[in-house]
Amino acid sequence: MKDQRSYFERADFESDFPPQFLVSIVGVTIVLLELGFAQWPFFYGAAPVLSLIFIYYMNIYHEKYIPVFVIFLMGIVGDVLLSDLLGGRATAFLLLTYVMQHRLARLQQSDFGRLWLDFAVSCAAISLFQLLLFSALNLAIPSLSPILFQLGATLILFPIGFVIIFTVHRLLQKVKIV
Amino acid sequence: MRVSDKARIRQRRIIHGVLIFLSFSLMFLGKADLSALRNIRMGSSDFLAPFIDFVSAPIRGIETMVEGVRTVASLRAENVRLQGENDLLKRWRRRAEILESENRQLRSVTGAAAVKNRTQITARAVTAPGGGFAHTVLIAIGGEEGIVRGNPVVTADGLVGIVIDVGRAYARVLMISDINARIPVILSSSSWPGLSVGQNGQFLDLQFLPDEATPKIGELVLTSGHGGVLPNGLAVGRVDQIKDGKIRVRPAVDLRNLSYVSVLTGGLDGIDNSNLDLADFYTPLPIDDTTRLLEGLNSSGQRR
């Protein structure tokens, strides 16, 4: 079939690739930052999952700039460096993205309170998913208090992370990068 | 919706499915502990570790600043405490010299073999456990410095863990608090053997103690040296709580504040660490009357 699009449309002058590349760099850096936070004795064994906040925000407001490969990459890098179950984080992130895609319109119209609540449910679901997988593969149940602490810390940092990402996005819009 | 948009959505869904399948498969491959996958993983850690250092520099800076303020505020009290500790250490040093001499004499009388010497190499801890599912750390020392799998990692306070993966310039250490870490130990005062099991938390469980054993709160738990990988006598922790038959041990090392550690190299002669399967590695020794648990004693505590 002959391509019906105009010449200029096919030329694709406004490629999504540069912002996607930028988002992938930022995503991996956030995973590395999580490891930095883990070095604080306060967050020992329970560093907040900042990457989840980033993925959640990007999935809702800038879905086209965060390809699924970037989500996979962020999960795998976290798995490799934290030596969690290899692929466990990546699977959880990808499944969350899949579920979010089906509820995207509703999430985009929700107020912040509802988003926070939805994020809390998503975060708990991911922790439970990882806990079940870990327990099934290791035939042991790890101490639950660090997992709950991690969940709590991530939820508390959600508004801060949300505001920071929003501000950075506004700045980038001003310089017309995104 | 345009044709190109539909195609893009379909393409995205296919990629999404493939990636979910791939990451799910990786979980099982990772669990199979394939050496190729382990090498890729350690290679990735080697590549990413310098970036972690770079990214976490500001966080470390803030931590150092807070620590500095706290130290200055408690300088006088710290000085008094250190003077007291110094006096105590001087007394212990004299006692250790007497005991060492006595030990040497007794060894020469009984003909017992001397403990193999291990070389200490100091390394910086690059990461800390960040999740509730694994307690491992990356240290800035690797195969280039002669580190091999199975090397014990210690601080001045006691055992931190053992090296489980070695890269070119970095190595991964499985901490004693990890759920997969099972360390053969003895109680310091009664010498009863047991197994220290990590819980992915701040405490360890002491398991497989004989029924006759009566651990006391505060009692020191030391490595027994069984299996020959870990030297005996390294402090693992102290008994912290005994409740409903469960014995909780507080690690001797404050694992939350690891900056530098020492790797004990050597001493693995005759131990095959090329295919180190952690499950087999920590399997407790079978206990019968012919098993020697301590120098000169069998499992019933009878002198041989």
Side-chain angles (χ1 to χ4, degrees), chain B residues 256-288:
Chain B
R256 296 171 304 167
N257 277 312
L258 278 184
S259 301
Y260 286 90
V261 292
S262 297
V263 184
L264 303 180
T265 59
L268 288 170
D269 307 337
I271 292 167
D272 178 18
N273 60 349
S274 58
N275 190 19
L276 191 68
D277 184 351
L278 289 171
D280 294 340
F281 192 76
Y282 288 114
T283 305
L285 293 172
I287 296 177
D288 55 46

Short mmCIF file of all heavy atoms in Angstrom, two decimals, chain B residues 256-288:
data_model
loop_
_atom_site.label_atom_id
_atom_site.label_comp_id
_atom_site.label_asym_id
_atom_site.label_seq_id
_atom_site.Cartn_x
_atom_site.Cartn_y
_atom_site.Cartn_z
N ARG B 256 25.63 -0.80 59.18
CA ARG B 256 25.06 0.41 58.57
C ARG B 256 26.12 1.46 58.29
O ARG B 256 25.90 2.39 57.55
CB ARG B 256 24.00 1.02 59.49
CG ARG B 256 22.80 0.13 59.71
CD ARG B 256 21.92 0.70 60.78
NE ARG B 256 22.66 0.89 62.02
CZ ARG B 256 22.24 1.58 63.05
NH1 ARG B 256 21.08 2.18 63.01
NH2 ARG B 256 22.96 1.69 64.15
N ASN B 257 27.28 1.31 58.95
CA ASN B 257 28.33 2.32 58.80
C ASN B 257 29.60 1.72 58.23
O ASN B 257 30.67 1.85 58.80
CB ASN B 257 28.64 2.93 60.17
CG ASN B 257 27.67 4.03 60.52
OD1 ASN B 257 27.42 4.90 59.70
ND2 ASN B 257 27.12 3.97 61.71
N LEU B 258 29.49 1.07 57.10
CA LEU B 258 30.68 0.46 56.51
C LEU B 258 31.31 1.43 55.53
O LEU B 258 30.70 1.78 54.52
CB LEU B 258 30.30 -0.81 55.74
CG LEU B 258 30.11 -2.10 56.52
CD1 LEU B 258 29.85 -3.23 55.55
CD2 LEU B 258 31.30 -2.42 57.38
N SER B 259 32.51 1.88 55.83
CA SER B 259 33.23 2.73 54.88
C SER B 259 34.40 1.96 54.30
O SER B 259 34.60 1.92 53.09
CB SER B 259 33.74 3.98 55.56
OG SER B 259 32.68 4.70 56.10
N TYR B 260 35.17 1.36 55.19
CA TYR B 260 36.32 0.57 54.75
C TYR B 260 36.26 -0.82 55.38
O TYR B 260 35.82 -0.97 56.52
CB TYR B 260 37.64 1.26 55.16
CG TYR B 260 37.93 2.46 54.31
CD1 TYR B 260 37.48 3.72 54.68
CD2 TYR B 260 38.63 2.33 53.11
CE1 TYR B 260 37.71 4.83 53.88
CE2 TYR B 260 38.88 3.44 52.31
CZ TYR B 260 38.41 4.68 52.70
OH TYR B 260 38.64 5.77 51.92
N VAL B 261 36.68 -1.80 54.61
CA VAL B 261 36.70 -3.18 55.12
C VAL B 261 38.05 -3.80 54.75
O VAL B 261 38.77 -3.26 53.91
CB VAL B 261 35.56 -4.02 54.50
CG1 VAL B 261 34.20 -3.56 54.96
CG2 VAL B 261 35.64 -4.04 52.98
N SER B 262 38.36 -4.91 55.38
CA SER B 262 39.59 -5.64 55.03
C SER B 262 39.21 -7.00 54.46
O SER B 262 38.34 -7.67 55.02
CB SER B 262 40.47 -5.85 56.26
OG SER B 262 40.87 -4.61 56.75
N VAL B 263 39.86 -7.36 53.38
CA VAL B 263 39.63 -8.68 52.79
C VAL B 263 40.79 -9.57 53.21
O VAL B 263 41.96 -9.19 53.08
CB VAL B 263 39.56 -8.59 51.24
CG1 VAL B 263 39.23 -9.95 50.65
CG2 VAL B 263 38.54 -7.57 50.81
N LEU B 264 40.47 -10.75 53.76
CA LEU B 264 41.52 -11.67 54.17
C LEU B 264 41.79 -12.61 53.00
O LEU B 264 40.93 -13.43 52.65
CB LEU B 264 41.09 -12.48 55.39
CG LEU B 264 40.68 -11.68 56.63
CD1 LEU B 264 40.28 -12.62 57.75
CD2 LEU B 264 41.83 -10.79 57.09
N THR B 265 42.93 -12.45 52.39
CA THR B 265 43.26 -13.31 51.24
C THR B 265 44.10 -14.48 51.70
O THR B 265 44.70 -14.46 52.78
CB THR B 265 44.02 -12.53 50.15
OG1 THR B 265 45.20 -12.02 50.75
CG2 THR B 265 43.20 -11.40 49.60
N GLY B 266 44.16 -15.50 50.85
CA GLY B 266 44.92 -16.70 51.21
C GLY B 266 44.10 -17.58 52.13
O GLY B 266 42.96 -17.28 52.45
N GLY B 267 44.69 -18.70 52.53
CA GLY B 267 44.02 -19.59 53.47
C GLY B 267 42.94 -20.44 52.85
O GLY B 267 42.19 -21.10 53.55
N LEU B 268 42.82 -20.41 51.50
CA LEU B 268 41.79 -21.23 50.85
C LEU B 268 42.42 -22.41 50.12
O LEU B 268 41.81 -23.00 49.23
CB LEU B 268 41.00 -20.38 49.84
CG LEU B 268 40.04 -19.34 50.44
CD1 LEU B 268 39.51 -18.41 49.38
CD2 LEU B 268 38.88 -20.02 51.14
N ASP B 269 43.66 -22.76 50.50
CA ASP B 269 44.34 -23.88 49.84
C ASP B 269 43.53 -25.16 50.02
O ASP B 269 43.11 -25.49 51.12
CB ASP B 269 45.74 -24.10 50.44
CG ASP B 269 46.54 -22.81 50.44
OD1 ASP B 269 46.19 -21.93 49.62
OD2 ASP B 269 47.46 -22.68 51.26
N GLY B 270 43.34 -25.85 48.92
CA GLY B 270 42.63 -27.14 49.01
C GLY B 270 41.13 -27.00 48.97
O GLY B 270 40.41 -27.98 48.98
N ILE B 271 40.62 -25.75 48.94
CA ILE B 271 39.16 -25.57 48.88
C ILE B 271 38.78 -25.13 47.48
O ILE B 271 39.33 -24.15 46.95
CB ILE B 271 38.70 -24.52 49.92
CG1 ILE B 271 38.93 -25.12 51.30
CG2 ILE B 271 37.24 -24.16 49.74
CD1 ILE B 271 38.82 -24.14 52.40
N ASP B 272 37.87 -25.88 46.86
CA ASP B 272 37.47 -25.56 45.50
C ASP B 272 36.45 -24.43 45.53
O ASP B 272 35.31 -24.63 45.95
CB ASP B 272 36.86 -26.82 44.84
CG ASP B 272 36.38 -26.52 43.44
OD1 ASP B 272 36.81 -25.50 42.87
OD2 ASP B 272 35.58 -27.31 42.91
N ASN B 273 36.87 -23.26 45.12
CA ASN B 273 35.95 -22.12 45.12
C ASN B 273 35.59 -21.69 43.69
O ASN B 273 35.05 -20.63 43.47
CB ASN B 273 36.52 -20.94 45.91
CG ASN B 273 37.82 -20.47 45.35
OD1 ASN B 273 38.40 -21.13 44.49
ND2 ASN B 273 38.30 -19.33 45.82
N SER B 274 35.96 -22.56 42.72
CA SER B 274 35.68 -22.19 41.32
C SER B 274 34.20 -22.25 41.03
O SER B 274 33.68 -21.52 40.20
CB SER B 274 36.44 -23.11 40.38
OG SER B 274 36.06 -24.45 40.65
N ASN B 275 33.52 -23.16 41.69
CA ASN B 275 32.08 -23.27 41.46
C ASN B 275 31.37 -23.18 42.80
O ASN B 275 30.75 -24.12 43.27
CB ASN B 275 31.79 -24.60 40.75
CG ASN B 275 30.37 -24.66 40.27
OD1 ASN B 275 29.71 -23.63 40.16
ND2 ASN B 275 29.88 -25.85 40.02
N LEU B 276 31.50 -22.01 43.40
CA LEU B 276 31.03 -21.81 44.77
C LEU B 276 29.52 -21.68 44.81
O LEU B 276 28.97 -20.65 44.49
CB LEU B 276 31.67 -20.54 45.30
CG LEU B 276 31.55 -20.26 46.78
CD1 LEU B 276 32.34 -21.25 47.58
CD2 LEU B 276 32.03 -18.86 47.07
N ASP B 277 28.86 -22.76 45.18
CA ASP B 277 27.40 -22.71 45.30
C ASP B 277 27.09 -22.43 46.76
O ASP B 277 27.42 -23.21 47.65
CB ASP B 277 26.81 -24.06 44.87
CG ASP B 277 25.29 -24.02 44.89
OD1 ASP B 277 24.76 -23.04 45.40
OD2 ASP B 277 24.69 -24.98 44.39
N LEU B 278 26.46 -21.30 47.01
CA LEU B 278 26.28 -20.86 48.39
C LEU B 278 25.47 -21.85 49.22
O LEU B 278 25.73 -22.05 50.40
CB LEU B 278 25.60 -19.50 48.41
CG LEU B 278 26.50 -18.37 47.94
CD1 LEU B 278 25.71 -17.10 47.78
CD2 LEU B 278 27.63 -18.17 48.91
N ALA B 279 24.50 -22.52 48.58
CA ALA B 279 23.68 -23.47 49.34
C ALA B 279 24.54 -24.61 49.88
O ALA B 279 24.42 -25.01 51.04
CB ALA B 279 22.59 -24.01 48.44
N ASP B 280 25.47 -25.10 49.01
CA ASP B 280 26.35 -26.19 49.46
C ASP B 280 27.40 -25.65 50.41
O ASP B 280 27.84 -26.30 51.33
CB ASP B 280 27.04 -26.84 48.26
CG ASP B 280 26.04 -27.54 47.37
OD1 ASP B 280 24.94 -27.83 47.88
OD2 ASP B 280 26.35 -27.77 46.20
N PHE B 281 27.80 -24.44 50.10
CA PHE B 281 28.91 -23.82 50.83
C PHE B 281 28.63 -23.74 52.32
O PHE B 281 29.49 -23.95 53.15
CB PHE B 281 29.07 -22.42 50.24
CG PHE B 281 30.31 -21.73 50.63
CD1 PHE B 281 31.51 -22.08 50.04
CD2 PHE B 281 30.30 -20.75 51.59
CE1 PHE B 281 32.66 -21.43 50.40
CE2 PHE B 281 31.45 -20.10 51.95
CZ PHE B 281 32.63 -20.45 51.36
N TYR B 282 27.40 -23.43 52.67
CA TYR B 282 27.06 -23.22 54.07
C TYR B 282 26.34 -24.41 54.70
O TYR B 282 25.75 -24.28 55.75
CB TYR B 282 26.19 -21.96 54.21
CG TYR B 282 26.98 -20.70 54.00
CD1 TYR B 282 26.73 -19.87 52.93
CD2 TYR B 282 27.99 -20.36 54.88
CE1 TYR B 282 27.46 -18.72 52.75
CE2 TYR B 282 28.72 -19.22 54.71
CZ TYR B 282 28.45 -18.40 53.65
OH TYR B 282 29.17 -17.26 53.47
N THR B 283 26.33 -25.54 54.02
CA THR B 283 25.66 -26.70 54.59
C THR B 283 26.35 -27.08 55.90
O THR B 283 27.56 -27.22 55.94
CB THR B 283 25.71 -27.89 53.61
OG1 THR B 283 25.16 -27.44 52.39
CG2 THR B 283 24.95 -29.07 54.13
N PRO B 284 25.57 -27.26 56.99
CA PRO B 284 26.22 -27.59 58.26
C PRO B 284 26.91 -28.95 58.20
O PRO B 284 26.48 -29.83 57.44
CB PRO B 284 25.06 -27.63 59.25
CG PRO B 284 23.86 -27.22 58.54
CD PRO B 284 24.13 -27.14 57.09
N LEU B 285 27.95 -29.09 58.97
CA LEU B 285 28.68 -30.37 58.97
C LEU B 285 27.82 -31.44 59.63
O LEU B 285 27.09 -31.16 60.57
CB LEU B 285 29.97 -30.22 59.78
CG LEU B 285 31.02 -29.30 59.18
CD1 LEU B 285 32.14 -29.11 60.19
CD2 LEU B 285 31.56 -29.88 57.90
N PRO B 286 27.88 -32.67 59.13
CA PRO B 286 27.15 -33.74 59.81
C PRO B 286 27.77 -33.98 61.19
O PRO B 286 28.99 -33.98 61.34
CB PRO B 286 27.36 -34.95 58.89
CG PRO B 286 28.55 -34.62 58.08
CD PRO B 286 28.63 -33.15 57.96
N ILE B 287 26.92 -34.12 62.20
CA ILE B 287 27.45 -34.27 63.56
C ILE B 287 27.26 -35.71 64.04
O ILE B 287 26.14 -36.20 64.13
CB ILE B 287 26.76 -33.29 64.54
CG1 ILE B 287 27.10 -31.85 64.11
CG2 ILE B 287 27.19 -33.53 65.97
CD1 ILE B 287 26.43 -30.80 64.93
N ASP B 288 28.33 -36.39 64.27
CA ASP B 288 28.28 -37.69 64.93
C ASP B 288 29.49 -37.77 65.86
O ASP B 288 30.25 -36.79 65.96
CB ASP B 288 28.26 -38.84 63.90
CG ASP B 288 29.43 -38.75 62.94
OD1 ASP B 288 30.56 -38.54 63.42
OD2 ASP B 288 29.22 -38.87 61.72
#
